Every structure is written in structure tokens, then in C-alpha cells.
Amino acid sequence: MVQLIFEDSLNLFINDLIKTKTLQVGLIIGQFTANSKDFAIHFAKCPNPVDDEVEEELVNSDSENTKINEKIKQKNEAFKLNSNENIDVKWIVEHARQVTRMLTGGLMIIGVYYSCSPEIYLKNQALLRQCLYSVRKKSENSKWIRNSIPHNERYFFHMCTLTGKLSCRTIDINDVQGSFKQATFRFQSFLSSWHSFSCFVDVNISSYVPVKESLKTEQKMTYACHDEIESIWNSYASINFKIVKDDQLISENTKNKNTTKTKTIKKDIEIMLFKKNVSNNVLFSPDQINTEIKFVGSIFAKAFIHQKGTYGEAVKALKVDIIRSLQSRIELLCEEAQINNLCQVNEWSLMSPIRVFVKAYEVYYCDYAFKDETQKETISRFLDLLGINPSQNDLIYMEKSPDISDVSMILRGERPVDIHSEMGSERSSICLEEPSNFKFLASCIIALVAVVFSFIVILLKQ
């Protein structure tokens, strides 16, 4: 039987909902482990549908794609017609999709919570079960992310506003005929003892995509990144040029007479990638290809692991963070192209959003901000989607966008991609001391270019 351990600070949140008899549904953010003890660290309330900025922007844009606009308007009208007692699975799943972008490594959507009366709970029980399956499908939308999760149990947590009773149940998400089972839970203060890890990982993608009318822009971009993501997933990790042992505990306690001391650990893990010499280019003849897609650059990753975790868990969490970050940028770029009606032209370009971090409750969350967006908009998304209200001084920028003129020079081959990085030469010289089978590109941007439809996606480290 699995056990869910809630961060002690969530007790205040739960008591407030019960005391005020607030009807609320939302997502449980936490961490899965392989030892039958999972952790819940944050409740993310599902916001009102009208707060969805992407859809609002699509509706209000001058796009000629009236079918998209009409579909969004109909969906929002349907949401407004629902009473507060109903569970809107589609909107909760949309919330989960956007929250997933904001999670750093080691953090996942582990379940759904519901604060309501017994009558409302019984009325929506079937929908809540469906909600867990749908949220899992949307938030764990790639084989790499699914393979990083040690078990199939997902949680449903009910807070009864009538009796104050708390109940926790799980369901095997891989069993379509599965039923809820009781799960034990307790409250404990643990986040302050979690381990933090970070790394920069360089990517260098060049791929041709075949002509397929059925493929959407996002699918083409994801297809082009497949080999690179596989390379990231299968990469080695090292600390101080020593390969990490997956089964080694992060914290190793040593006894010294009557006291117990914890060894000081280095929390930053640098992932060194061994690139595969495989390209999609060889799979297609020239008459089958219509698009070339390129990514070049560096991504900053952040991950958090529970106190008794291993280095193997930390490395896997960082890899998931990198992959999820890359997928999020692809998704956001395609949304931006749709908003600006760029998918209707043969050639177009966009600047990538940069990743912005915020520390809340001992861990980091993130957002992605385009160059023309303000800090106020970023803060608004943290508040609407996660219930976190940072100040401008709380925003942490580990990446920044270059000037458009610099981008043009890079695309024309007139400037190397690592010229913008003050750390570039230092990182390159350090990596020369590594074994030859670890190739580390000291680039500082991530650029995406396509031949028929041309994307320009840039990320720069500070």
C-alpha cells in the first residue's frame, strides 16, 4: 500500500477550505518515489476558464482562422453554463497541461483534490475518476516522462466541508477497469531537507521532416527533436568529472561517537551528453522532404529530490526537466504562431520564450515569457495557475534573449553560436579535460530554423 506524505504547511490550506466550506477542485503537485511513499507539496486550484490567456488572445486576435475562434468561444460559453457543483473534466485537464509547463524536475501532478459536501462528492465521483485518467494522459504526454515514474498509482484527496473528514484514495492509472483503493496519509515537514540539483545541457538538432499533410506544425517540430531527446535520456551524468553512480544515496550519514553527521554534498549535477550519430536525414529521399528544423543551444534545468533519494533519481529528474522544457517551448511557439496567423504563410520566424524561475516553499517553479511580455504577465500566470504570488524581485532569470540582429547573423553563419556567452570559452576549455566520448557544445542559444516554415527560437544564458 502506498502512503502519501503531505508537507505540513498544507494543513493550513486544508483547514481554511473546510472552515469556510469552500467548494474547490484542483491539482496535487508532488513527487513519486520507488519506496511506496510519495510526497505532496502544493495544491494548485483550478482557475476560472476566462483566465486562460492563450485562448483569450486567440479569440481577440485578428486571425482568419474562424473555426478556431468559434470553437474556443463555444467552449468558454459551455463552462459558464456549468454550475459550481459540476466537475468540468476538460477544463481541469487544460489546467493540468499549463501547470505541467511550470514544474521543475522531480515535480509532477500526482493527483486531484476536491473540497465539497458528501452529496456533491457522490454526484461527481465518476467524473473525478475520469479526471484522474485524463490529467495523467495530458501531463505525462511522452514515453520519457512516463518511464521516469516508478509506479502507476494516482491520488484523489477529498476534503469534506460538512464533517471536516479527510480521505485519500488511489487508483491504478493503467487499469481502465480499476477502482479506488484507500491510501494512508500523514502530515510532515520535509521540504527543507530536500536536495536541489541544476545543470546546463547543450542541444544541437538538425533534422529533415517528411512531407505529410496530416502532420501539424507541433508534431513536425517534436518529430525533429526525437533523436536529441533520446540522446538526452540516455546521456551520462558526472560530478567533478566522475560518473554518477545511480544507486548512491545523496545523503550518507556517518556516526561519530554520540552524534550523527551528514556529509556535505555537491548539489549541482552537470549532464554531459554522448550524441548519437544518427540523423533522420538518411531516412527520406529529397522528394519526400519539405522541412528542415534546427535547434542549437543550451537549456538550464533544475530538479528537487526527497531526502532519501539517490543520484540516479536526481539525474532522471534533470533529464525530465530538460525534455519537458524543450516540449513546452515547442508548444508555446506553435500557439504563438497560431495567434499571429503565421501558419498560413510559407516562411515565418519567432523568438523563443525564456524560462523564468520563482522559489516558493523551498522549491522552484517556472514560467516561459516571450520577449514582448512584461513581468506583470509572468506574475499573473504564477498566481492564476499555481496560486503563487511573487514580486518582481522574486523572478529569477537564468536565460535571456539576444538581439534580432545577432540572430540574423547566426542564421547566416556569420557568427558562431557561442559568441554571446561570457562563459562559453571557459566552459569549452574545461570540457577539453573530459574524456573524448563526452561532447559538450559551449553554445549559449537555442535556435530553431525550418526551410518551408522558418522558426527562429533563441535562448541565451546570462
Side-chain angles (χ1 to χ4, degrees):
M1 178 184 293
V2 294
Q3 182 183 60
L4 186 59
I5 304 175
F6 287 90
E7 171 60 31
D8 207 30
S9 59
L10 291 178
N11 235 328
L12 296 174
F13 181 89
I14 293 170
N15 291 336
D16 184 60
L17 289 183
I18 294 173
K19 186 181 297 184
T20 58
K21 300 186 183 300
T22 303
L23 180 68
Q24 190 177 114
V25 62
L27 307 172
I28 306 173
I29 296 172
Q31 185 168 108
F32 296 111
T33 75
N35 59 9
S36 300
K37 289 183 180 180
D38 297 329
F39 298 93
I41 69 169
H42 187 64
F43 288 148
K45 174 190 173 184
C46 187
N48 190 308
V50 299
D51 290 337
D52 183 52
E53 295 181 8
V54 172
E55 293 191 350
E56 284 293 296
E57 198 166 355
L58 276 169
V59 170
N60 296 327
S61 69
D62 295 329
S63 171
E64 296 177 0
N65 198 336
T66 55
K67 290 184 179 180
I68 295 175
N69 290 339
E70 187 61 30
K71 184 178 180 181
I72 293 170
K73 288 178 180 178
Q74 290 174 359
K75 188 175 79 169
N76 282 335
E77 286 301 318
F79 289 147
K80 293 174 185 177
L81 292 175
N82 286 339
S83 70
N84 290 333
E85 296 183 0
N86 289 336
I87 293 292
D88 196 314
V89 175
K90 289 183 179 179
W91 183 242
I92 296 173
V93 171
E94 172 60 20
H95 182 218
R97 182 181 73 88
Q98 297 189 46
V99 165
T100 299
R101 297 173 182 168
M102 309 182 84
L103 303 181
T104 50
L107 305 186
M108 302 288 294
I109 296 173
I110 65 172
V112 172
Y113 74 88
Y114 196 18
S115 168
C116 64
S117 67
E119 293 78 15
I120 297 175
Y121 167 65
L122 290 175
K123 176 183 177 181
N124 288 285
Q125 199 167 13
L127 284 174
L128 288 166
R129 184 178 179 277
Q130 178 189 345
C131 189
L132 277 176
Y133 283 93
S134 300
V135 165
R136 185 259 187 161
K137 184 177 180 181
K138 182 62 68 173
S139 62
E140 303 166 27
N141 58 356
S142 72
K143 64 178 182 179
W144 302 283
I145 294 175
R146 289 191 296 271
N147 289 341
S148 72
I149 301 174
H151 61 75
N152 301 320
E153 300 295 327
R154 301 296 180 270
Y155 294 92
F156 171 69
F157 189 67
H158 176 224
M159 295 164 267
C160 181
T161 55
L162 185 63
T163 65
K165 182 180 178 181
L166 307 178
S167 63
C168 184
R169 297 193 292 169
T170 67
I171 193 168
D172 186 341
I173 213 71
N174 282 349
D175 184 1
V176 293
Q177 301 297 328
S179 57
F180 282 116
K181 298 172 291 186
Q182 289 295 330
T184 60
F185 67 94
R186 60 188 170 93
F187 293 86
Q188 179 182 327
S189 181
F190 56 79
L191 272 179
S192 60
S193 63
W194 274 24
H195 306 289
S196 171
F197 295 84
S198 62
C199 74
F200 280 101
V201 62
D202 296 305
V203 297
N204 189 10
I205 300 170
S206 180
S207 177
Y208 289 107
V209 178
V211 177
K212 285 187 180 179
E213 294 295 332
S214 60
L215 285 182
K216 297 180 180 179
T217 302
E218 185 175 336
Q219 290 173 316
K220 290 182 179 182
M221 296 172 72
T222 302
Y223 179 94
C225 295
H226 181 274
D227 282 352
E228 184 75 6
I229 293 176
E230 279 284 347
S231 182
I232 292 169
W233 185 252
N234 295 316
S235 62
Y236 298 97
S238 67
I239 301 178
N240 294 328
F241 309 122
K242 294 181 180 179
I243 299 297
V244 171
K245 296 180 180 179
D246 288 350
D247 59 351
Q248 181 181 352
L249 292 175
I250 301 170
S251 294
E252 295 182 28
N253 293 331
T254 57
K255 292 186 178 180
N256 181 13
K257 295 182 179 180
N258 297 326
T259 61
T260 300
K261 292 184 178 180
T262 303
K263 291 182 178 179
T264 301
I265 63 168
K266 181 178 176 63
K267 294 185 178 181
D268 291 331
I269 291 182
E270 190 76 41
I271 293 183
M272 311 297 287
L273 297 182
F274 176 74
K275 304 290 185 180
K276 294 187 299 181
N277 295 321
V278 177
S279 173
N280 288 332
N281 301 1
V282 299
L283 300 178
F284 313 106
S285 60
D287 60 341
Q288 292 178 299
I289 300 169
N290 76 331
T291 303
E292 181 185 11
I293 295 176
K294 292 183 180 180
F295 282 86
V296 181
S298 187
I299 295 176
F300 178 75
K302 192 76 176 173
F304 296 86
I305 297 296
H306 61 96
Q307 185 181 17
K308 296 183 179 180
T310 65
Y311 280 103
E313 290 177 286
V315 171
K316 189 176 290 186
L318 282 173
K319 291 177 180 179
V320 167
D321 190 53
I322 295 163
I323 293 168
R324 202 157 51 187
S325 180
L326 185 57
Q327 292 174 329
S328 295
R329 297 177 211 257
I330 290 173
E331 192 176 274
L332 287 164
L333 282 165
C334 292
E335 289 178 0
E336 188 74 1
Q338 194 176 46
I339 290 170
N340 292 284
N341 201 28
L342 297 179
C343 293
Q344 307 299 319
V345 299
N346 291 330
E347 185 173 342
W348 51 274
S349 63
L350 279 175
M351 195 80 73
S352 165
I354 61 171
R355 198 175 190 188
V356 186
F357 293 89
V358 161
K359 186 175 182 180
Y361 316 112
E362 302 291 341
V363 298
Y364 281 29
Y365 298 93
C366 70
D367 184 38
Y368 294 89
F370 284 95
K371 199 165 187 177
D372 60 348
E373 289 185 307
T374 65
Q375 289 184 322
K376 184 178 179 181
E377 290 173 289
T378 297
I379 291 171
S380 177
R381 284 192 290 270
F382 277 116
L383 181 59
D384 293 340
L385 297 174
L386 289 176
I388 297 171
N389 190 18
S391 67
Q392 292 187 4
N393 292 333
D394 294 327
L395 302 181
I396 303 170
Y397 293 85
M398 297 302 295
E399 303 167 349
K400 66 179 181 180
S401 298
D403 295 331
I404 295 178
S405 58
D406 292 331
V407 175
S408 300
M409 293 180 69
I410 292 170
L411 294 176
R412 293 196 300 267
E414 298 174 5
R415 176 172 291 183
V417 295
D418 62 341
I419 197 167
H420 302 283
S421 174
E422 296 178 359
M423 298 175 60
S425 58
E426 296 178 15
R427 296 178 70 202
S428 295
S429 61
I430 289 174
C431 293
L432 290 175
E433 301 173 11
E434 283 283 339
S436 58
N437 62 332
F438 290 102
K439 183 180 179 183
F440 192 89
L441 302 177
S443 56
C444 58
I445 65 169
I446 181 167
L448 173 67
V449 185
V451 170
V452 172
F453 51 88
S454 180
F455 303 83
I456 303 176
V457 185
I458 302 297
L459 300 176
L460 267 173
K461 294 180 309 190
Q462 283 184 328

